[in-house]
Amino acid sequence: MGKTLKNFITFSWFLFLGFILFLAGFSTMMLVLHDIPGMVRTGFAGTTAGFAIFGTLSFVVMITGFVPVFRRCYYKFPWLYPFTTILMMNLFIAALAEFILGQGFSVTGSPRYEITICLMIIMVIICRFVMCFYLKKRPMVYQKEKQ
């Protein structure tokens, strides 16, 4: 492939990946600001679509890492790899919190509500601590492969 075609494909994939990352950020905000407080406010388990959203968006991010032409967007935009990784970690934590809350609120009228809310808060704090500890020990630097 010519260099111009590779750059065009990389830029096109970057625009698509930017849209996907916008959806991931929007999904994370909806889980945190709408779905989880809605379950707590009503006391009933809603649909927990967090892991479905996470899996779909992770598939696109995985393709970006596996296909060499798409992977070039990480070389052209070095901030994109850490941003993508941290955003996907945050989406996973929010999806896990929603799942725990949905499981705890699936039984109505029991003291599981308070226990589930405490468990969810503790899980979010521990997951964020583990994520920060891991990223401090292993900073993300995307190295270009030798060809």
Side-chain angles (χ1 to χ4, degrees):
M1 271 196 258
K3 187 173 181 171
T4 307
L5 182 60
K6 284 183 181 180
N7 286 338
F8 176 75
I9 291 172
T10 300
F11 184 71
S12 299
W13 187 258
F14 170 72
L15 292 177
F16 178 70
L17 186 63
F19 176 70
I20 293 298
L21 294 178
F22 173 77
L23 287 178
F26 181 74
S27 299
T28 303
M29 294 306 292
M30 286 303 294
L31 287 174
V32 171
L33 298 177
H34 182 266
D35 293 350
I36 292 174
M39 276 192 243
V40 171
R41 189 174 41 255
T42 62
F44 294 103
T47 58
T48 56
F51 279 121
I53 295 168
F54 175 75
T56 304
L57 299 178
S58 293
F59 181 73
V60 174
V61 173
M62 178 191 68
I63 289 173
T64 304
F66 284 152
V67 178
V69 176
F70 298 159
R71 191 171 43 225
R72 290 185 69 209
C73 65
Y74 289 143
Y75 307 146
K76 300 287 184 184
F77 307 101
W79 54 269
L80 187 62
Y81 180 69
F83 178 77
T84 303
T85 305
I86 292 171
L87 184 64
M88 295 310 288
M89 286 179 184
N90 285 329
L91 180 59
F92 177 78
I93 292 170
L96 188 60
E98 182 196 31
F99 177 75
I100 288 173
L101 202 60
Q103 293 298 314
F105 280 17
S106 62
V107 177
T108 58
S110 76
R112 286 176 56 175
Y113 289 175
E114 292 83 16
I115 294 170
T116 303
I117 291 172
C118 291
L119 182 65
M120 180 196 66
I121 291 170
I122 290 169
M123 183 277 314
V124 168
I125 291 170
I126 289 173
C127 285
R128 294 289 302 191
F129 178 76
V130 168
M131 181 181 84
C132 292
F133 182 75
Y134 177 77
L135 293 174
K136 178 147 177 76
K137 288 290 183 186
R138 296 175 183 248
M140 285 188 281
V141 177
Y142 200 75
Q143 301 290 332
K144 192 171 184 178
E145 295 176 3
K146 296 185 172 55
Q147 297 177 1

